[in-house]
Amino acid sequence: MIKRVPISALKVGMYITDLNNDWIPHNSQRKRGVIKKEETVEKIRRMGVQFVYIDASKGADTQDSETASDVDHRNESALQRAGEQTPGLRPHVPLAEEIVVAQKIHSQAQGLVGDFMNNVKMSAAIDITPIHQLADELQHSVFRNANALSCLGRIREKDNYLLEHSVNLSVLMSLFGNHRGLSEDVLHQTIVGALLHDLGKILTPDEILHKPGRLSPEEFEVMKLHAQHSRDILASTEGIGELTVITAAQHHERLDGTGYPEGLKGEEISEYGRMVAITDVYDAITADRVYHKGMTPTQGLKKLLEWSGDHLDPVLVRQFIRCIGLYPVGSMVLLESGRLGVVVETNEADQRLPAVRVMYHTKFRMPITVATIDLAKPGTQDRILRAVDPEEYRIDVRKFLV
């Protein structure tokens, strides 16, 4: 039986199934196996891990635990409560119309961020103007119909993670900032900070940055320096605002002080640093990487709730969930009719009734004609039963998002 145990109850002889530390960026630690020595427990404790998952049938057990199913049930209940309010922005233009514009912005964004990073690396002349213009265009697209860029954010290739993550993070920060009512200037600066938050990775050796296997403790320390490098580069770049620097510098800080580069705690971390930490973790854990398979959007939201308080701001986590919805764009859901569909548009009036693109019938175990169904449309009887993992049905959701 899989159980969650507090770090205080972890002991030699237990079989770990999940270190539950995906909130640690670039986490590539081995997650499974029997604990053979006390030093391993202490190493896990130093990571800042509060709870781990064990298989009690393969190793030692403890009464100080709860089943994984009970944890998931509690997280699901918390997710439903967090999503009781309506999500962020009401679309002003149809998705089919905005997706055309969003595709151009998304492609342009990856190119501009890549060029900017290369120019910094080559010590070439730096012109921040195109980045500012891009941030404005991105913000306007999100305002017109946030679902467009959100759809594109789910269509990603793991070999291009660095650039896609930077663009996706800026989209999430735009959504989050709009939802929280940030002023136009503050929102603009945080979007730029999100776009350039990983700029410091240009100084990370390629053999570490692109290593397909686990990083050694020494390599991980080198990787961690990128946040400090991002801060220093942006602080010395003309035309960069203070909040942009703060947003980029604090995206790996954690409430309990286990983050970096400063090891800030609680209110020492700015509001924008706590916001970008949430969006950064969410985008990272829901992305396919060389060393791990990404979680589904719903699984990712549950993990944000589980890590709230210790590592992530619990109030902001719940606001973020209200912002992107119970079933974020790209989620695969099972309908009462037995059909499977991918969420392509959230519903600002009722998070339980998004627009879904169906393509498969579970009762007949066969593909069906692809169609988009607005569950909120009068007369529509179908409803969502639950979110599901597309891996169970070997369906690539990316094929149905655009």
Side-chain angles (χ1 to χ4, degrees):
M1 177 182 290
I2 306 300
K3 296 183 175 182
R4 191 179 82 151
V5 302
I7 191 67
S8 59
L10 193 62
K11 60 185 179 182
V12 173
M14 287 184 171
Y15 185 97
I16 291 181
T17 61
D18 185 357
L19 284 174
N20 195 32
N21 65 342
D22 284 324
W23 47 268
I24 299 178
H26 315 293
N27 173 38
S28 56
Q29 300 281 339
R30 189 176 69 174
K31 297 184 178 181
R32 292 178 177 271
V34 176
I35 299 177
K36 298 180 179 179
K37 50 187 178 180
E38 187 63 35
E39 289 83 352
T40 302
V41 176
E42 182 56 32
K43 181 180 178 181
I44 296 172
R45 184 179 291 110
R46 287 198 302 268
M47 291 180 188
V49 174
Q50 301 296 322
F51 295 89
V52 301
Y53 287 85
I54 67 169
D55 188 338
S57 67
K58 295 183 178 181
D61 197 359
T62 175
Q63 292 184 340
D64 190 5
S65 66
E66 60 182 325
T67 66
S69 59
D70 285 344
V71 174
D72 185 70
H73 179 74
R74 186 173 65 253
N75 287 338
E76 177 64 31
S77 297
L79 179 61
Q80 294 295 326
R81 291 194 300 272
E84 287 176 354
Q85 296 186 17
T86 59
L89 299 171
R90 179 185 298 272
H92 289 74
V93 301
L95 176 61
E97 178 181 330
E98 186 57 33
I99 200 75
V100 177
V101 179
Q103 285 175 321
K104 294 179 180 178
I105 295 174
H106 198 269
S107 177
Q108 178 191 19
Q110 291 189 52
L112 277 177
V113 173
D115 290 344
F116 189 88
M117 295 178 78
N118 287 332
N119 287 339
V120 172
K121 188 173 185 178
M122 301 299 294
S123 299
I126 299 174
D127 182 6
I128 195 65
T129 303
I131 295 292
H132 284 307
Q133 293 172 343
L134 171 65
D136 287 338
E137 291 177 14
L138 189 148
Q139 185 175 341
H140 293 155
S141 178
V142 168
F143 178 76
R144 289 189 297 268
N145 192 323
N147 297 292
L149 280 169
S150 296
C151 278
L152 297 177
R154 299 302 305 167
I155 305 173
R156 55 201 302 171
E157 301 294 335
K158 59 185 177 184
D159 292 335
N160 195 32
Y161 174 79
L162 181 58
L163 294 180
E164 290 186 341
H165 174 59
S166 295
V167 176
N168 291 345
L169 193 60
S170 64
V171 172
L172 290 172
M173 282 298 285
S174 181
L175 285 165
F176 201 6
N178 268 298
H179 178 77
R180 300 195 66 238
L182 300 185
S183 69
E184 186 173 345
D185 176 63
V186 169
L187 183 57
H188 176 91
Q189 289 195 55
T190 56
I191 292 173
V192 174
L195 278 167
L196 302 178
H197 77 290
D198 272 343
L199 178 61
K201 287 184 177 179
I202 62 172
L203 300 179
T204 304
D206 285 344
E207 60 269 22
I208 294 178
L209 185 62
H210 301 297
K211 184 178 180 179
R214 297 192 301 272
L215 297 180
S216 68
E218 294 77 19
E219 289 170 333
F220 185 52
E221 289 303 313
V222 173
M223 177 68 85
K224 287 165 62 175
L225 292 173
H226 80 273
Q228 178 180 326
H229 293 324
S230 292
R231 178 195 64 198
D232 295 344
I233 294 170
L234 290 174
S236 62
T237 300
E238 186 176 353
I240 292 291
E242 180 184 3
L243 294 186
T244 293
V245 178
I246 290 174
T247 301
Q250 296 183 354
H251 71 282
H252 286 317
E253 299 288 0
R254 300 292 180 258
L255 290 185
D256 60 359
T258 58
Y260 59 87
E262 300 294 336
L264 302 177
K265 293 183 178 181
E267 294 298 321
E268 293 175 349
I269 308 171
S270 73
E271 170 187 357
Y272 315 108
R274 282 176 277 139
M275 288 174 62
V276 76
I278 292 167
T279 55
D280 181 70
V281 168
Y282 174 76
D283 189 68
I285 63 178
T286 55
D288 289 340
R289 305 291 298 277
V290 174
Y291 48 81
H292 80 77
K293 176 69 177 175
M295 301 178 188
T296 67
T298 299
Q299 289 170 337
L301 294 180
K302 289 181 182 179
K303 279 299 181 183
L304 293 184
L305 287 165
E306 185 172 346
W307 298 327
S308 293
D310 296 319
H311 310 298
L312 304 173
D313 187 307
V315 174
L316 290 178
V317 164
R318 283 161 177 77
Q319 291 181 4
F320 178 69
I321 292 172
R322 293 169 189 151
C323 164
I324 65 174
L326 285 174
Y327 306 106
V329 170
S331 301
M332 174 161 280
V333 293
L334 173 65
L335 304 181
E336 290 177 346
S337 62
R339 292 178 294 181
L340 290 179
V342 178
V343 175
V344 292
E345 288 193 83
T346 55
N347 181 349
E348 75 280 356
D350 190 335
Q351 294 196 20
R352 299 166 299 177
L353 304 175
V356 177
R357 190 161 291 147
V358 296
M359 82 299 287
Y360 188 86
H361 208 298
T362 58
K363 293 180 180 178
F364 303 116
R365 298 183 180 180
M366 62 180 294
I368 57 177
T369 301
V370 177
T372 301
I373 302 172
D374 184 353
L375 297 180
K377 186 176 181 180
T380 302
Q381 299 298 316
D382 231 346
R383 292 293 183 267
I384 293 176
L385 284 177
R386 64 179 184 276
V388 298
D389 189 341
E391 287 287 310
E392 295 178 25
Y393 301 92
R394 298 181 181 179
I395 294 175
D396 186 351
V397 298
R398 297 175 299 178
K399 297 179 179 179
F400 303 98
L401 283 170
V402 179

